[in-house]
Amino acid sequence: MKDKIVEKILKDEEIRQKKNITLIASENYVSKDIEQAMASKLGNKYSEGYPGKRYYKGQVNADKIELLAQERALKLFGLNKKMWAVNVQALSGSPMNTAVYFALLNSGDKIMGMALNAGGHLTHGHKVSFSGKYFSAIQFGVDSKTESINYEEIEKMAIENKPQIIVAGFTAYPRKIDWKKFRMIADKVGALLLADISHISGLIAGKAYPSPFPYADIITTTTHKVLRGPRGAMIFSKIDDRKLNEKIDKAVFPGLQGGPHMNNIAGIAIALQEAMSPKFKDYAKQVVVNAQVMAKTFKNLGYRVVSGGTDSHLLLVDVWMDGAGLTGEQAATVLEANGIVVNKNTVPGETRSPFDPSGLRLGSAAETTRGWKEKDFIKCVEKMDKILKAEIKRINNLQK
């Protein structure tokens, strides 16, 4: 590479990823094939529009790769192409949800989703996000005792507020979602049901987590988490007289973005094919087992694990412990200094600032990709415990 400054940064990042343990729930490692696709000549091609309806010429291969990605996406989740459509052009998670809202709602319409401090995403109606600024957002939390979803409370809120869209999904909620109950609630108030499965689409593809496809009207997902693809997103929608898919396509382009990133779409196509293999099903199941082992080990060491455990790839651990421990920022910083990369996170009933909350969000997907099994995660949690307790002791000694 002629640009030696950039070359060094890229090399340093490669070394950083190799040397460190990654426990960030929204990160993973792609295959060499996907890396090759992302660095391909398709990155040079501007492909405004959709297959067969582009604005520029020279689209023969761009059309082929986008149609292939769509075909594989439907096949992976067992969907009939006459009943479901999929858009693979959305650039990432926030743009994909933006497209759905802009396609199907008017400014001021009501959306109902999980609150950020309960495990929801910014785009599910948080006040600092466009989703909470341009739409009327109703936010539900979790039961204060079980720290799990209370469907009766959600039903009451839905009946009272009558949202146009109910968002079922999360970014930091460790338990299974009962998609059927959400469908029943949506039907009671005449709402569309949007399932945001960004964190769990890989688990669903690998048959390690229940699928929302029999129940939801629209399903959105990023492609770079457990699904183990490049950064990107997909929007699935039912094909019926409501024309959801047509409205969503128009919202993605030309409503919100221009030409899609065709090199990333090529990488998505490869990731979808990889996820159809028997090995991927084994991987998805191991991801959940590894996360559950982490949760159990933390509990045995005296930490409060939110909701008592996990059914997915992620868990939330309270490291603040009512002031007896570390803040999330302190814990994440000292762990990174010791080669373990995590992210700070709020916990249900959070009393601290989101910039320095009480908890950590941990995920098992990335290190499972590297071949870790239960014993490796147990050792890692025990190491984390020693690091955190040593830091607490160091801080206490400084304060004396």
Side-chain angles (χ1 to χ4, degrees):
M1 186 178 287
K2 291 181 180 179
D3 190 327
K4 296 303 177 184
I5 297 174
V6 172
E7 183 179 44
K8 185 179 185 306
I9 293 171
L10 294 177
K11 186 63 178 177
D12 287 347
E13 176 59 15
E14 183 179 352
I15 293 168
R16 186 198 68 80
Q17 290 188 23
K18 285 181 178 179
K19 288 176 61 178
N20 287 280
I21 295 167
T22 298
L23 297 180
I24 293 178
S26 52
E27 292 186 6
N28 212 328
Y29 298 105
V30 301
S31 67
K32 292 293 183 183
D33 287 352
I34 294 173
E35 286 184 354
Q36 187 176 345
M38 289 193 289
S40 70
K41 298 297 184 184
L42 273 173
N44 298 331
K45 189 58 195 159
Y46 204 0
S47 301
E48 277 191 340
Y50 291 99
K53 297 179 180 179
R54 306 285 190 186
Y55 284 80
Y56 305 158
K57 296 301 181 183
Q59 304 291 349
V60 59
N61 296 309
D63 282 3
K64 284 180 181 178
I65 205 69
E66 185 167 345
L67 289 170
L68 181 64
Q70 291 174 329
E71 177 188 328
R72 288 179 175 179
L74 296 173
K75 185 178 179 181
L76 176 62
F77 293 102
L79 305 177
N80 187 325
K81 65 180 180 180
K82 293 181 179 179
M83 299 175 64
W84 286 90
V86 59
N87 186 299
V88 297
Q89 289 194 10
L91 302 180
S92 195
S94 292
M96 80 186 176
N97 285 340
T98 304
V100 173
Y101 299 150
F102 280 18
L104 306 176
L105 299 174
N106 294 312
S107 179
D109 281 353
K110 294 178 180 179
I111 61 173
M112 182 174 172
M114 180 177 275
L116 189 70
N117 64 2
H121 191 258
L122 285 167
T123 60
H124 297 170
H126 195 276
K127 62 183 179 181
V128 303
S129 162
F130 76 93
S131 61
K133 290 182 177 180
Y134 292 97
F135 304 104
S136 178
I138 303 104
Q139 300 267 272
F140 59 83
V142 292
D143 185 272
S144 59
K145 292 182 180 179
T146 65
E147 296 179 314
S148 298
I149 293 173
N150 185 322
Y151 293 93
E152 291 182 2
E153 287 300 314
I154 293 174
E155 183 177 335
K156 290 177 184 177
M157 291 176 68
I159 292 171
E160 180 181 348
N161 292 281
K162 293 183 170 55
Q164 277 76 35
I165 289 181
I166 294 176
V167 184
F170 59 81
T171 191
Y173 179 74
R175 294 303 188 176
K176 288 179 182 176
I177 292 180
D178 191 326
W179 307 111
K180 186 176 181 179
K181 286 184 179 178
F182 267 111
R183 176 75 266 167
M184 291 171 64
I185 294 167
D187 287 343
K188 278 194 175 184
V189 298
L192 291 168
L193 180 59
L194 165 60
D196 184 344
I197 60 170
S198 293
H199 266 274
I200 52 174
S201 58
L203 298 180
I204 292 167
K207 311 298 183 185
Y209 194 99
S211 172
F213 283 97
Y215 306 104
D217 300 293
I218 309 109
I219 291 96
T220 58
T221 180
T222 53
T223 51
H224 54 271
K225 299 182 175 75
V226 183
L227 196 55
R228 224 162 37 178
R231 293 190 63 84
M234 302 185 292
I235 306 170
F236 297 85
S237 53
K238 286 184 175 179
I239 298 175
D240 54 29
D241 56 7
R242 296 173 296 180
K243 298 184 177 180
L244 301 177
N245 59 306
E246 294 179 20
K247 293 174 183 177
I248 289 169
D249 280 351
K250 288 178 181 177
V252 173
F253 174 82
L256 291 168
Q257 48 186 73
H261 297 176
M262 297 310 302
N263 54 327
N264 272 33
I265 291 176
I268 290 170
I270 295 170
L272 295 168
Q273 182 69 17
E274 291 175 350
M276 292 184 211
S277 71
K279 285 184 178 180
F280 189 87
K281 289 184 174 61
D282 295 336
Y283 164 74
K285 291 172 184 174
Q286 189 65 51
V287 165
V288 176
V289 169
N290 286 343
Q292 290 172 339
V293 164
M294 270 202 291
K296 183 178 179 180
T297 308
F298 270 112
K299 286 176 68 176
N300 289 342
L301 291 168
Y303 293 86
R304 183 175 78 85
V305 175
V306 170
S307 81
T310 180
D311 301 316
S312 66
H313 65 302
L314 66 83
L315 58 145
L316 293 169
V317 181
D318 182 350
V319 291
W320 178 238
M321 297 182 288
D322 293 324
L326 301 171
T327 69
E329 173 63 23
Q330 288 173 325
T333 299
V334 71
L335 287 171
E336 183 175 23
N338 285 273
I340 302 173
V341 184
V342 303
N343 69 269
K344 60 189 177 184
N345 212 92
T346 56
V347 297
E350 183 61 76
T351 57
R352 299 184 55 79
S353 162
F355 295 103
D356 193 13
S358 302
L360 298 176
R361 183 187 67 164
L362 308 171
S364 60
E367 294 306 325
T368 304
T369 292
R370 285 175 157 173
W372 277 27
K373 297 292 176 64
E374 295 95 319
K375 61 179 175 44
D376 302 298
F377 281 95
I378 291 170
K379 289 179 182 178
C380 184
V381 172
E382 290 173 345
K383 180 180 178 181
M384 292 169 71
D385 175 56
K386 291 178 181 177
I387 293 166
L388 296 177
K389 285 177 178 173
E391 181 67 2
I392 292 169
K393 185 176 180 180
R394 186 188 72 82
I395 291 173
N396 288 339
N397 287 337
L398 288 174
Q399 293 174 345
K400 288 180 179 178

